[in-house]
């Protein structure tokens, strides 16, 4: 009998002492004794209701002895912003004072200061490779501290930055990052179809994800890694909007790397296309009002994805006592006796 009792399972409900559930056998015994004692009496709706309250109350009190634990889903905010920051060599250009990268850091810090308190923000940097610098967090000072350590690196792979940011933003989407990264190393220029595509059952209409978004801060230059427009299309398939902020000027500036001088200009067309594909917005320079618009576009929503186990012995005992008293009170009021 002990094994049978311990096998009793209620969805979301567990017991610290499941072996004590055998006490519930008292309930049918009590019912049988009561029926025998009151045999021959006519029952009406009131007495039946009172009896049910007493039975359920007694069962709850006995179950409380086994110390029930309930798994509950706690609410959490779902609004989340993933920032992708370009740290390629062209971001060292000084056509924006003091440099494009320094200006981008300043814009990003303004953005963090302007955001709502509960918004989770993550940070990805991208040059020849993309790196998750800070997973999504509400501890925004951690992002500011990370920004102070970021320096210019060689190469420019904006597509990689979008891909890494998207996989962090949507961890349950099952994005095959490695397969998409390997696509960029194919030798056949005519084979430009991605080797991995999202499951149609998890895709969403473009721009429909109103609680998560991405911000790409860059001068638009990209010369390696996954195709940037394909990655923008991937974000669009998950309903994620990419808001792009262009840093630099159309005239550009000359930068020197490894003994080679080259004029680099703001490639606003690339950034505008990314925003257009994902139904985001393109901002050139990004003023304070622009930053506010980005956050206003991210709607605060609530999900119930945090599970916590809580013992409910006291609540079940209280409920049992109240039901028992209610049943007895009904019996007393209608028939002048409590049983």
């Amino acid at each position: 009998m002990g094994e049978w009792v311990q096998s009793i399972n209620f969805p979301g409900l567990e017991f610290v002492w499941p072996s004590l559930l055998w006490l519930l056998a008292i309930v049918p015994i009590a019912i049988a004794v009561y029926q025998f004692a009151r045999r021959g009496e006519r029952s009406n709706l009131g007495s039946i209701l009172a009896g049910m309250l007493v039975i359920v109350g007694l069962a709850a009190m006995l179950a409380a002895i086994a110390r029930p634990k309930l798994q509950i889903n706690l609410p959490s905010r779902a609004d989340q912003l993933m920032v992708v920051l370009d740290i390629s060599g062209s971001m060292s250009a000084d056509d924006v004072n003091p440099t494009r990268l320094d200006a981008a850091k300043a814009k990003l810090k303004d953005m963090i200061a302007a955001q709502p308190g509960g918004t989770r923000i993550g940070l990805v940097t991208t040059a020849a490779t993309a790196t998750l610098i800070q997973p999504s967090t509400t501890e925004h000072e951690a992002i500011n501290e990370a920004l102070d350590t970021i320096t210019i690196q060689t190469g420019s792979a904006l597509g990689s930055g979008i891909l890494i940011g998207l996989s962090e933003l949507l961890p349950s989407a099952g994005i095959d990052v490695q397969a998409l990264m390997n696509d960029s190393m194919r030798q056949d220029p005519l084979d430009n179809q991605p080797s991995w595509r999202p499951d149609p059952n998890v895709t969403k209409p473009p721009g429909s994800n109103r609680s998560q978004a991405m911000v790409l801060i860059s001068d638009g230059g990209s010369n390696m890694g996954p195709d940037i427009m394909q990655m923008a299309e991937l974000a669009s398939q998950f309903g994620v909007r990419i808001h792009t902020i262009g840093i630099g000027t159309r005239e550009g500036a000359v930068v020197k790397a490894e003994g080679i001088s080259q004029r680099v200009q703001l490639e606003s067309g690339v950034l505008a296309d990314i925003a257009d594909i994902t139904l985001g917005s393109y901002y050139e320079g990004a003023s304070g009002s622009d930053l506010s618009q980005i956050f206003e576009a991210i709607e605060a929503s609530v999900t119930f994805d945090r599970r916590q186990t809580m013992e409910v012995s006291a609540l079940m005992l209280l409920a049992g006592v109240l039901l028992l008293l209610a049943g007895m009170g009904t019996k007393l009021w209608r028939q002048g006796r409590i049983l």
Side-chain angles (χ1 to χ4, degrees):
M1 178 176 177
E3 293 182 358
W4 175 83
V5 169
Q6 295 191 39
S7 68
I8 296 178
N9 181 42
F10 301 95
L13 186 65
E14 300 175 351
F15 295 89
V16 177
W17 298 330
S19 59
L20 292 181
L21 288 174
W22 69 266
L23 292 172
L24 291 174
I26 295 175
V27 176
I29 295 173
I31 294 174
V33 171
Y34 179 79
Q35 292 288 355
F36 180 79
R38 296 298 177 183
R39 65 187 182 280
E41 292 188 4
R42 295 187 59 185
S43 299
N44 53 40
L45 181 62
S47 63
I48 293 175
L49 176 62
M52 291 178 62
L53 290 174
V54 171
I55 291 169
V56 175
L58 177 61
M61 292 171 62
L62 293 171
I65 298 175
R67 296 182 61 188
K69 297 189 300 180
L70 186 64
Q71 282 195 345
I72 58 176
N73 292 328
L74 299 178
S76 64
R77 292 174 63 104
D79 41 326
Q80 184 178 8
L81 188 69
M82 182 58 59
V83 177
V84 178
L85 177 61
D86 183 358
I87 59 170
S88 62
S90 61
M91 292 292 285
S92 65
D94 59 2
D95 53 345
V96 177
N97 189 42
T99 67
R100 293 180 182 179
L101 180 59
D102 290 329
K105 289 181 180 181
K107 292 294 182 184
L108 184 50
K109 288 184 177 181
D110 288 343
M111 183 183 296
I112 294 171
Q115 57 78 49
T119 301
R120 292 178 294 158
I121 300 179
L123 175 63
V124 171
T125 59
T126 180
T129 59
T131 305
L132 177 64
I133 298 297
Q134 176 61 58
S136 298
T137 179
T138 56
E139 298 295 329
H140 303 138
E141 187 57 36
I143 299 179
N144 287 329
E145 292 175 358
L147 284 172
D148 292 334
T149 65
I150 291 173
T151 58
I152 292 290
Q153 296 182 21
T154 59
S156 181
L158 295 185
S160 297
I162 293 177
L163 177 58
I164 296 299
L166 195 62
S167 65
E168 171 66 16
L169 201 62
L170 305 170
S172 63
I175 299 174
D176 193 335
V177 174
Q178 191 59 55
L180 293 171
M181 288 289 190
N182 291 340
D183 287 348
S184 63
M185 295 183 286
R186 290 178 184 168
Q187 298 298 319
D188 186 357
L190 297 178
D191 186 10
N192 59 358
Q193 294 300 314
S195 59
W196 179 88
R197 291 182 175 85
D199 184 344
N201 294 321
V202 300
T203 57
K204 298 180 179 180
S208 60
N209 188 339
R210 307 297 297 181
S211 62
Q212 294 173 305
M214 190 179 296
V215 172
L216 172 62
I217 306 179
S218 172
D219 56 17
S222 183
N223 54 22
M224 60 178 62
D227 183 83
I228 188 170
M229 295 306 166
Q230 285 187 359
M231 295 304 100
E233 181 61 36
L234 180 62
S236 176
Q237 290 177 319
F238 286 109
V240 175
R241 297 174 185 244
I242 301 180
H243 304 286
T244 55
I245 298 177
I247 301 293
T249 64
R250 298 179 188 274
E251 295 77 19
V254 176
V255 296
K256 189 173 184 179
E258 298 179 355
I260 300 175
S261 297
Q262 181 180 4
R263 179 172 292 275
V264 290
Q265 299 170 305
L266 171 63
E267 298 184 33
S268 57
V270 173
L271 299 173
D273 287 345
I274 294 171
D276 184 60
I277 290 173
T278 62
L279 300 186
S281 301
Y282 170 60
Y283 303 95
E284 200 160 304
S287 64
S289 60
D290 291 336
L291 298 177
S292 297
Q293 289 178 18
I294 291 174
F295 283 103
E296 287 172 2
I298 303 173
E299 296 178 356
S301 61
V302 175
T303 60
F304 291 84
D305 56 3
R306 289 192 298 128
R307 297 181 67 83
Q308 180 172 313
T309 301
M310 179 177 67
E311 186 170 339
V312 292
S313 304
L315 291 177
M316 187 170 286
L317 180 61
L318 176 61
V321 171
L322 292 176
L323 289 170
L324 192 66
L325 292 177
M328 290 180 173
T330 301
K331 197 82 169 178
L332 180 64
W333 174 58
R334 297 183 65 89
Q335 298 181 357
R337 62 173 188 265
I338 60 175
L339 292 176

